Amino acid sequence: MTVSIARVYDAPDDHRVFVDRLWPRGVHKDDPRIGRWLKEVAPSNDLRKWYHAHPDEYDAFSARYRAELDEPGPQADALAELVRLGTDGDLELATATKDPSTSHVPTIVAALADHGVR
């Protein structure tokens, strides 16, 4: 089992999960590049807007997002669903962000690794 990161605009993997809160521009609702949409795992709207205003503070964003994922609620439930999917086999996390390496997705990957999904 492996976890990989892709842009939603790339060719899909069979085990793709789209993990953004907002729907990507120019993509139809039935586009196969989306795979499964698990928007609940994405950062809260407040945190997403904060990071948009402070793009140079990735470490602070990641710490705040990790705290959100650790709190009981819909985000933690969605993370648990990703853990389940990841233990069943390969998992591709898709995002529409231009630079996935500075998006919320690496924080999700780190949280999955803490649960034994690599």
Side-chain angles (χ1 to χ4, degrees):
M1 72 189 149
T2 61
V3 177
S4 60
I5 299 173
R7 291 201 65 227
V8 75
Y9 305 105
D10 299 336
D13 184 288
D14 288 338
H15 306 286
R16 176 176 277 188
V17 179
F18 180 56
V19 293
D20 289 358
R21 184 165 300 278
L22 303 177
W23 192 260
R25 292 181 184 184
V27 177
H28 293 283
K29 294 287 183 177
D30 60 351
D31 193 310
R33 295 177 295 179
I34 294 297
R36 180 176 176 182
W37 187 19
L38 194 58
K39 66 181 175 181
E40 295 82 8
V41 77
S44 66
N45 282 328
D46 289 341
L47 183 55
R48 182 181 55 78
K49 290 174 185 177
W50 178 87
Y51 184 48
H52 183 75
H54 303 92
D56 55 332
E57 296 187 40
Y58 182 76
D59 291 339
F61 162 75
S62 185
R64 289 175 64 181
Y65 180 39
R66 189 59 191 264
E68 284 187 355
L69 289 172
D70 290 341
E71 290 180 21
Q75 284 177 311
D77 294 345
L79 180 64
E81 178 67 12
L82 284 178
V83 169
R84 187 189 67 72
L85 292 170
T87 56
D88 288 347
D90 295 339
L91 183 62
E92 182 178 70
L93 303 178
T95 181
T97 58
K98 291 180 183 176
D99 184 5
S101 68
T102 58
S103 72
H104 62 291
V105 181
T107 304
I108 296 172
V109 171
L112 290 172
D114 290 348
H115 288 90
V117 179
R118 302 190 186 286

